């Protein structure tokens, strides 16, 4: 698709952060990173990559600050430190925007024991676990009461520009949660009992699908009411998602509704996969911009570690693999966002992948934004068609 520049102007410093922050960086912290973080090195890396904003692990599954909530599990190596506070202080000194990263879909045994009614229940009446943690239900007090209080605490102590979360949609379409909250809510809002199984020929199941999308959007709106009230109108809560037409429906992420609401799209589609090539990232940009508008900034988390059939998150991607994915996304209007897992890396080659592309992006940003599409042919894409016709064979 050809693009024309509408205005070749540099980002205006007076604009809100979500309109002027074009390059992002994320170090997805691990539990021992409070002992490993070399802040001087990372400050230099921020300069090398010309980032204007950073995403910092905050709370949820693991807290990286001394939370007042006893049930919020703290990182193993945290001790008495406040790693979130340290990151925020250094980022602010460097003039960067800050998003606090949440991960809210699971909790520990202690948390489950205290609130068993807040967690997903399968058709056998058993709680559902993943990697040793209990999966929280999107309709329970965990999402409705507890997480809003955690957001308020982080806002009060750290004043982030906003929040982002890569697990906000909770349990996937493959699980029909049968907890008390879901049973009551579904009955009250549809007049039906929960479907007995995943069967697209069952009207109750089809209704459950539509209802499940709405439940996630309700939480999106709830969290944004909290951030607006306690952090200001520009403090945004942003769930991560991607535009891969094969996958978003399994997580009940309504791309159209999110596109209407979100002032910046935080896209978590880190690399190509077995179904697509590098060109998918250009298509990601086209689809998301058409949902959210061509003036909306759409950063995308771009991995610098090995992903794919055999994921190795501590091994460096070949430079061309990371860079071609980044460049194809930029061609589709996506903003670059480097992604590393862990503040300490033995395979330090991965730190050489992003800087050349990020610097090129900075040098040419006046040509990459404020564009308008000039295509005279469009492709219609329907998420409902993906869901109800494609089903498990999209």
């Amino acid at each position: 698709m050809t693009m024309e520049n509408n205005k070749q102007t540099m980002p205006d410093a007076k604009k809100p952060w979500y309109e002027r922050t074009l390059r992002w960086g994320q170090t997805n912290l691990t539990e021992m990173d409070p002992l490993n973080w070399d802040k001087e090195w990372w400050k230099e890396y921020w300069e090398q990559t010309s980032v204007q904003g950073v995403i910092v692990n905050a709370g949820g599954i693991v807290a990286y600050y001394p939370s007042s909530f006893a049930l919020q599990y703290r990182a193993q190596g945290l001790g008495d430190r406040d790693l979130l506070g340290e990151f925020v202080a250094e980022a602010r000194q460097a003039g960067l925007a800050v998003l606090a990263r949440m991960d809210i879909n699971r909790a520990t045994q202690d948390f489950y024991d205290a609130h068993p009614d807040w967690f997903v229940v399968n058709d056998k009446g058993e709680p559902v676990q993943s990697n040793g943690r209990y999966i929280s239900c999107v309709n329970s007090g965990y999402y409705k009461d507890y997480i809003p209080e955690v957001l308020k605490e982080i806002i009060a102590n750290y004043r982030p520009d906003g929040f982002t979360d890569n697990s906000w949609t909770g349990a996937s379409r493959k699980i029909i949660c049968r907890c008390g909250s879901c049973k009551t809510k579904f009955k009250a809002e549809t007049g039906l009992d929960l479907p007995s199984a995943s069967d697209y020929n069952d009207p109750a199941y089809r209704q459950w699908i539509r209802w499940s999308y709405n439940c996630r959007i309700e939480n999106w709106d709830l969290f944004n009411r909290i951030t607006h009230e306690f952090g200001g109108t520009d403090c945004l809560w942003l769930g991560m998602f991607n535009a891969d037409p094969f996958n978003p429906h399994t997580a009940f992420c309504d791309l159209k509704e999110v596109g209407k609401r979100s002032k910046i799209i935080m896209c978590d589609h880190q690399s190509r996969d077995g179904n697509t090539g590098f060109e998918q990232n250009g298509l990601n940009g086209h689809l998301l911009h058409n949902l959210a508008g061509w003036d909306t900034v759409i950063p995308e988390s771009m991995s610098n570690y090995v992903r794919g059939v055999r994921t190795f998150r501590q091994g460096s991607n070949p430079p061309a693999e990371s860079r071609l994915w980044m460049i194809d996304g930029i061609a589709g209007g996506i903003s670059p966002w480097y992604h590393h897992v862990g503040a300490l890396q033995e395979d330090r080659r991965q730190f050489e992948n992003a800087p050349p592309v990020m610097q090129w992006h900075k040098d040419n940003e006046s040509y990459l934004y404020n564009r308008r599409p000039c295509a005279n042919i469009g492709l219609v894409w329907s998420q409902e068609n993906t869901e109800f016709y494609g089903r498990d064979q999209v």
Side-chain angles (χ1 to χ4, degrees):
M1 179 161 106
T2 344
M3 303 290 292
E4 284 184 2
N5 275 96
N6 193 17
K7 299 176 184 176
Q8 291 189 11
T9 56
M10 300 295 283
D12 185 346
K14 296 181 181 179
K15 291 181 178 180
W17 66 269
Y18 48 82
E19 293 182 3
R20 56 181 164 79
T21 309
L22 307 178
R23 286 173 298 283
W24 289 84
Q26 179 185 358
T27 308
N28 194 358
L29 299 175
T30 63
E31 288 201 44
M32 297 310 295
D33 279 337
L35 305 176
N36 296 331
W37 183 43
D38 182 346
K39 69 178 180 180
E40 296 303 322
W41 188 92
W42 279 100
K43 287 160 64 176
E44 291 179 7
Y45 191 65
W46 293 344
E47 292 185 9
Q48 291 175 29
T49 52
S50 299
V51 295
Q52 298 164 305
V54 290
I55 293 124
V56 185
N57 295 59
I61 295 177
V62 181
Y64 288 87
Y65 70 99
S67 173
S68 65
F69 297 99
L71 289 175
Q72 186 171 206
Y73 172 83
R74 295 187 185 186
Q76 184 179 350
L78 189 63
D80 295 328
R81 290 184 67 177
D82 182 356
L83 193 59
L84 172 60
E86 293 176 31
F87 254 99
V88 171
E90 296 296 344
R92 293 306 192 194
Q93 187 175 1
L96 305 180
V98 176
L99 289 180
R101 179 184 181 272
M102 304 293 291
D103 202 343
I104 65 174
N105 74 336
R106 283 172 286 163
T108 62
Q109 181 73 51
D110 288 344
F111 207 132
Y112 173 79
D113 290 342
H115 298 280
D117 55 321
W118 285 4
F119 295 88
V120 173
V121 175
N122 63 20
D123 55 1
K124 298 179 181 178
E126 303 166 337
V128 179
Q129 297 186 56
S130 175
N131 294 323
R133 301 289 174 90
Y134 291 84
I135 298 178
S136 50
C137 175
V138 298
N139 294 313
S140 72
Y142 183 90
Y143 277 73
K144 305 299 185 182
D145 303 315
Y146 171 71
I147 292 301
E149 292 303 315
V150 173
L151 298 178
K152 292 177 192 178
E153 178 178 69
I154 293 171
I155 290 171
N157 293 335
Y158 306 102
R159 309 303 298 181
D161 293 290
F163 295 81
T164 191
D165 191 323
N166 72 328
S167 62
W168 65 282
T169 54
S172 75
R173 178 166 55 85
K174 298 178 181 179
I175 300 173
I176 300 174
C177 177
R178 302 183 185 281
C179 75
S181 298
C182 284
K183 288 179 180 178
T184 301
K185 192 173 190 294
F186 188 69
K187 184 72 171 182
E189 295 177 356
T190 68
L192 301 172
D193 293 325
L194 287 169
S196 58
S198 300
D199 179 5
Y200 278 95
N201 295 318
D202 178 2
Y205 180 70
R206 297 170 71 90
Q207 187 65 35
W208 177 80
I209 292 285
R210 292 188 171 93
W211 175 81
S212 295
Y213 278 100
N214 292 337
C215 291
R216 274 68 177 177
I217 293 298
E218 284 180 11
N219 287 339
W220 182 288
D221 291 341
L222 167 63
F223 297 154
N224 271 287
R225 286 197 297 273
I226 296 296
T227 57
H228 294 340
E229 180 179 354
F230 294 91
T233 55
D234 286 337
C235 184
L236 309 179
W237 184 90
L238 305 155
M240 297 183 196
F241 60 93
N242 66 57
D244 179 356
F246 299 104
N247 289 322
H249 69 295
T250 64
F252 293 125
C253 178
D254 191 324
L255 295 183
K256 185 176 180 181
E257 290 301 319
V258 169
K260 289 178 183 178
R261 288 163 166 76
S262 195
K263 295 179 180 179
I264 180 173
I265 299 288
M266 305 305 289
C267 180
D268 187 27
H269 190 170
Q270 297 181 21
S271 65
R272 62 181 176 141
D273 55 36
N275 293 320
T276 61
F278 295 110
E279 78 285 348
Q280 176 62 46
N281 219 13
L283 295 174
N284 285 346
H286 294 162
L287 175 57
L288 292 176
H289 275 298
N290 277 297
L291 291 169
W294 279 95
D295 292 332
T296 301
V297 177
I298 303 180
E300 178 188 70
S301 175
M302 298 161 167
S303 73
N304 286 279
Y305 57 85
V306 177
R307 296 186 79 244
V309 177
R310 295 181 181 273
T311 297
F312 182 44
R313 305 212 305 177
Q314 296 301 303
S316 174
N317 241 352
E321 183 72 30
S322 289
R323 291 172 187 169
L324 284 172
W325 183 253
M326 296 174 75
I327 290 167
D328 214 303
I330 291 169
I334 281 178
S335 294
W337 157 11
Y338 73 69
H339 185 271
H340 300 282
V341 177
L344 180 67
Q345 300 290 340
E346 294 183 357
D347 189 348
R348 300 183 66 81
R349 295 175 298 173
Q350 62 183 274
F351 296 122
E352 301 171 4
N353 293 344
V357 179
M358 303 288 274
Q359 185 59 51
W360 178 90
H361 185 274
K362 177 184 178 181
D363 294 342
N364 294 279
E365 67 183 31
S366 62
Y367 302 99
L368 300 173
Y369 294 88
N370 300 305
R371 299 187 296 171
R372 61 183 175 86
C374 296
N376 56 15
I377 297 175
L379 175 65
V380 176
W381 177 79
S382 163
Q383 187 164 349
E384 280 207 344
N385 189 64
T386 300
E387 177 69 71
F388 291 104
Y389 180 73
R391 302 182 182 183
D392 293 322
Q393 297 179 326
V394 175

